C-alpha cells in the first residue's frame, strides 16, 4: 500500500483496488488524524464521506437494532461495513442484512456479495447522487437481491423498497413506506419508522 500512497493525492497508475482499503493507514499521508476512517471505493475512485448528521445516526442505529431483532437465526444486521462488489468497487452501506456466519467472524473488514441479502443507504445532503443514482445499479448488477433507500421528509424517514428482477438484473420499486414499514422479504419485517427518530 505504501507504493499506492506514493502517488497521493493522485491515484496510483493502476487505480485503487478493493483490497487496497484493507491496507490504508488510519491517518493521512501528511499525518492528518482519521483521514482514511470513512472512505469508500467506487469504480476505482476513493470517496471520502462527510461526518454523519444526527438523523442519519438515529436511523442507522434504529434500523440495525430493529432488523437484527426480527431476523431469522441464519441472518444478522450489521452497520457501516463494506461490501466488495468487484475488484474496483467497495462501498460502505449504512446497514446490511448478511449471513449470520459471516457476521460472527470478527476479523472481517468487508463482505462478499453472496453473503449480502439487503443493503440500506440513508440519503444525506452530500450523498444524494451516490445513494440515488450511482450505488443502486452497482448493487443490482452485482446480484444483491434487496435494496432500501431512506430519505428524510420534514424530519421523518421515508423508505423506498426495491427488489432485484433476476431477468433484467435491475431493481424494481416495490413500495414506499412512510409510517409503518412492513415487508415479507428478505424475511418478515415490521418497523415503526416514526419511532426511529424520537
Amino acid at each position: 500500500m505504501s507504493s499506492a500512497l506514493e502517488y497521493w493525492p493522485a491515484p496510483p497508475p493502476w487505480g485503487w483496488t478493493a483490497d487496497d482499503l484493507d491496507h490504508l493507514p488510519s491517518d493521512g499521508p501528511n499525518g492528518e488524524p482519521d483521514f482514511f476512517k470513512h472512505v469508500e471505493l467506487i469504480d476505482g475512485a476513493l470517496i471520502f464521506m462527510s461526518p454523519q448528521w444526527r438523523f442519519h445516526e438515529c436511523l442507522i442505529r434504529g434500523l440495525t437494532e430493529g432488523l437484527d431483532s426480527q431476523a431469522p437465526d441464519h441472518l444478522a444486521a450489521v452497520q457501516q461495513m463494506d461490501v466488495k462488489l468487484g475488484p474496483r468497487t467497495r462501498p460502505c452501506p449504512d446497514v446490511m442484512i448478511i449471513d449470520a456466519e459471516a457476521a460472527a467472524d470478527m476479523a472481517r473488514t468487508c463482505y462478499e456479495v453472496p453473503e449480502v441479502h439487503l443493503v440500506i443507504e440513508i440519503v444525506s445532503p452530500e450523498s444524494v447522487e451516490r445513494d440515488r443514482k450511482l450505488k443502486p445499479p452497482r448493487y443490482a448488477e452485482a446480484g444483491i437481491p434487496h435494496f432500501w433507500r431512506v430519505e428524510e421528509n420534514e424530519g421523518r424517514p421515508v423508505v423506498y423498497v426495491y427488489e432485484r428482477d433476476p431477468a433484467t438484473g435491475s431493481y424494481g420499486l416495490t413500495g414506499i413506506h412512510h409510517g409503518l414499514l412492513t415487508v415479507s422479504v428478505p424475511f418478515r419485517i415490521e418497523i415503526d419508522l416514526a419511532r426511529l427518530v424520537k
Side-chain angles (χ1 to χ4, degrees):
M1 175 46 51
S2 59
S3 60
L5 283 178
E6 288 174 8
Y7 299 91
W8 187 264
W14 56 89
W16 296 98
T17 69
D19 293 335
D20 287 338
L21 269 63
D22 287 330
H23 305 287
L24 289 172
S26 59
D27 294 341
N30 298 309
E32 306 91 337
D34 294 330
F35 189 79
F36 290 110
K37 185 176 181 181
H38 300 291
V39 64
E40 298 181 290
L41 183 71
I42 306 292
D43 297 334
L46 294 178
I47 307 295
F48 291 86
M49 296 176 283
S50 297
Q52 288 180 12
W53 49 319
R54 176 67 172 148
F55 180 85
H56 199 113
E57 187 271 337
C58 285
L59 288 179
I60 289 175
R61 181 171 35 83
L63 286 170
T64 304
E65 291 172 358
L67 291 167
D68 208 37
S69 68
Q70 298 176 53
D73 290 344
H74 68 284
L75 297 176
V78 297
Q79 62 187 46
Q80 297 182 309
M81 290 289 292
D82 294 357
V83 55
K84 186 176 178 181
L85 302 183
R88 293 168 53 82
T89 301
R90 182 172 152 174
C92 181
D94 291 305
V95 182
M96 289 189 291
I97 293 292
I98 65 170
D99 291 339
E101 184 177 352
D105 183 351
M106 295 298 150
R108 295 289 289 272
T109 60
C110 68
Y111 300 105
E112 302 291 334
V113 168
E115 299 170 321
V116 180
H117 304 270
L118 166 66
V119 163
I120 303 172
E121 293 287 5
I122 300 165
V123 179
S124 59
E126 60 87 24
S127 71
V128 170
E129 289 296 313
R130 291 197 306 276
D131 292 344
R132 289 180 181 173
K133 298 179 181 179
L134 190 63
K135 291 184 183 179
R138 284 159 178 77
Y139 292 140
E141 290 163 8
I144 295 173
H146 301 280
F147 171 73
W148 296 359
R149 189 184 80 247
V150 185
E151 303 263 359
E152 182 268 338
N153 182 30
E154 297 182 350
R156 299 294 183 194
V158 179
V159 180
Y160 296 78
V161 174
Y162 296 84
E163 187 169 349
R164 185 177 183 273
D165 181 345
T168 64
S170 60
Y171 288 128
L173 182 67
T174 62
I176 302 174
H177 303 261
H178 294 265
L180 184 66
L181 185 152
T182 304
V183 295
S184 59
V185 289
F187 52 90
R188 179 73 181 176
I189 299 166
E190 185 173 298
I191 295 176
D192 183 350
L193 298 174
R195 293 180 63 86
L196 299 182
V197 291
K198 284 188 175 180

